[in-house]
Amino acid sequence: DNKTSTTKEAYVHPLSQIILQHLQECHFEWMERYGLNEHLTIQKDGTFELSFPNHKGGKIWTSYDAKEKKHYLSIMFKGQTVTTGQYLLQDNMKPAWHSDKRSTPEKVQDAVDEMVNMVSSCT
């Protein structure tokens, strides 16, 4: 079999990279169960979208609100009920030394874990 594939290097924002890496390392079976491991789109601005193939319109995505200078992880999952959630990943308006003692990767990973648990509890 002589299949070849070409992969273009894509810019992935560091927060998106933390999410994708955490999903792959800690929640890969969960991603496979929902078919997310085959439905990744990287946007030009470094954000991403993962689509739930068996749940029409369901997706997980990152976004940046330029006006508010905030990075978000969002989900829309259509199981027996429509579940939505949005997690603030980083607020660039706050000083780097604000009160949360967790590191940025820890906060992002906690948001991912919460999202995974939310979807798992809906199915």
Side-chain angles (χ1 to χ4, degrees), residues 23-36:
L23 283 169
Q24 183 178 18
E25 291 175 358
C26 299
H27 300 291
F28 189 75
E29 288 179 11
W30 178 84
M31 289 183 62
E32 281 187 318
R33 184 173 354 137
Y34 291 101
L36 292 167

Side-chain angles (χ1 to χ4, degrees), residues 20-94:
L20 293 170
Q21 185 172 353
H22 188 64
L23 283 169
Q24 183 178 18
E25 291 175 358
C26 299
H27 300 291
F28 189 75
E29 288 179 11
W30 178 84
M31 289 183 62
E32 281 187 318
R33 184 173 354 137
Y34 291 101
L36 292 167
N37 55 316
E38 298 178 10
H39 293 87
L40 171 65
T41 304
I42 304 290
Q43 309 298 343
K44 288 182 181 179
D45 64 358
T47 60
F48 72 84
E49 182 177 302
L50 286 165
S51 300
F52 290 97
N54 298 328
H55 301 271
K56 292 186 178 174
K59 63 182 180 175
I60 297 169
W61 71 99
T62 53
S63 59
Y64 177 70
D65 183 325
K67 185 177 179 185
E68 294 185 13
K69 298 190 182 326
K70 294 179 180 178
H71 295 267
Y72 293 100
L73 170 65
S74 302
I75 182 168
M76 181 169 55
F77 179 77
K78 297 181 179 184
Q80 293 187 358
T81 60
V82 176
T83 303
T84 59
Q86 187 174 60
Y87 303 88
L88 177 63
L89 300 176
Q90 186 169 309
D91 183 344
N92 290 344
M93 297 295 276
K94 286 188 177 182

Side-chain angles (χ1 to χ4, degrees), residues 1-5:
D1 195 25
N2 215 3
K3 291 182 181 175
T4 59
S5 65

Side-chain angles (χ1 to χ4, degrees), residues 102-116:
R102 296 174 298 165
S103 69
T104 297
E106 288 172 322
K107 288 187 286 187
V108 171
Q109 291 166 353
D110 289 348
V112 171
D113 293 341
E114 189 178 320
M115 178 195 65
V116 166

